């Protein structure tokens, strides 16, 4: 079935930067650090502040690519167990975000539920989200939380603290190698 939201039509974006950011958040969570120290926060702010609007859009596209890849992996893992990823993962992520009352605004949660569902059924979250106009500030925190929750879900499912990061790094490495060969 053809869809204009098919991932083959979506930009991949800056997956590396998005993955680096998610991995740093996961590391802080693992180490029990609730917030980055002021120096680290300043470096992060300076780094992201140096991005042009195009660069920022690339990182957003990269984050959406991560959502898609994580949901694709989870869909396949759930299907092997005769389970539905929409039935298990989406409620977990949405329920967790509803408890994050300080960092995730309630009005951003439906967009994340839609992105997760779109990804679960094989649609590009980037293209699905673009139909609703520009990203809102509230959705930025919700997207960050969505990525961390998905990665953490994968890590717990595999009993491997670095599986979600390593999986994407391996994909990126194999794509680079394929590009070197071809």
């Amino acid at each position: 079935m053809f869809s204009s939201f098919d991932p083959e039509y979506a930009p991949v974006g800056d997956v590396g930067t998005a993955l680096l950011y998610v991995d740093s958040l996961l590391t802080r969570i693992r180490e029990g650090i609730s917030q980055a120290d002021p120096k680290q926060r300043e470096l992060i702010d300076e780094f992201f502040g140096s991005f042009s609007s195009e660069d920022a859009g690339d990182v957003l596209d990269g984050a959406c690519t991560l959502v898609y890849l994580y949901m694709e992996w989870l869909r396949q893992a759930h299907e092997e167990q005769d389970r539905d990823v929409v039935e298990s993962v989406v409620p977990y992520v949405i329920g967790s975000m509803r408890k994050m009352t300080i960092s995730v605004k309630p009005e951003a949660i439906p967009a994340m539920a839609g992105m997760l569902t779109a990804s679960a059924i094989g649609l590009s979250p980037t293209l699905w989200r673009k139909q609703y106009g520009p990203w809102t500030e509230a959705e930025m925190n919700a997207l960050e939380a969505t990525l961390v929750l998905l990665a953490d879900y994968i890590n717990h499912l595999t009993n491997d603290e670095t599986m979600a990061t390593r999986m994407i790094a391996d994909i990126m490495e194999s794509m680079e190698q394929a590009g070197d060969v071809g």
Side-chain angles (χ1 to χ4, degrees):
M1 179 188 298
F2 169 78
S3 171
S4 59
F5 296 154
D6 193 286
E8 75 179 75
Y9 303 116
V12 173
D14 188 348
V15 175
T17 299
L19 182 62
L20 183 66
Y21 186 68
V22 170
D23 186 53
S24 72
L25 292 172
L26 288 168
T27 300
R28 280 195 355 233
I29 291 167
R30 242 187 341 265
E31 294 174 357
I33 301 169
S34 61
Q35 292 196 8
D37 68 62
K39 256 190 175 165
Q40 185 181 24
R41 185 74 243 163
E42 185 179 327
L43 285 171
I44 291 169
D45 290 345
E46 186 177 315
F47 175 67
F48 283 116
S50 70
F51 283 13
S52 67
S53 62
E54 184 178 329
D55 293 337
D58 287 345
V59 175
L60 268 174
D61 289 341
C64 287
T65 298
L66 285 179
V67 168
Y68 178 80
L69 292 171
Y70 286 156
M71 286 300 287
E72 180 64 17
W73 187 91
L74 286 165
R75 183 189 57 75
Q76 291 174 16
H78 279 70
E79 285 177 354
E80 286 178 12
Q81 304 295 318
D82 290 326
R83 295 175 56 209
D84 182 5
V85 71
V86 174
E87 187 177 357
S88 3
V89 176
V90 176
Y92 161 75
V93 172
I94 299 309
S96 297
M97 281 196 291
R98 288 186 64 204
K99 295 174 187 172
M100 299 176 178
T101 57
I102 295 172
S103 56
V104 177
K105 300 215 183 289
E107 62 269 21
I109 294 173
M112 298 306 108
M115 282 183 59
L116 290 169
T117 304
S119 296
I121 62 171
L123 300 178
S124 162
T126 301
L127 298 176
W128 179 87
R129 175 58 190 83
K130 281 185 180 179
Q131 70 182 321
Y132 298 106
W135 287 86
T136 66
E137 187 174 330
E139 289 172 333
M140 296 295 97
N141 286 346
L143 179 58
E144 177 182 299
T146 298
L147 282 168
V148 169
L149 289 165
L150 287 173
D152 189 56
Y153 191 97
I154 290 169
N155 292 345
H156 281 293
L157 191 65
T158 61
N159 201 26
D160 180 345
E161 299 182 329
T162 61
M163 178 61 177
T165 301
R166 199 172 58 254
M167 171 181 64
I168 301 301
D170 290 348
I171 291 169
M172 291 172 64
E173 183 179 337
S174 68
M175 290 179 71
E176 282 179 17
Q177 289 174 352
D180 291 342
V181 172

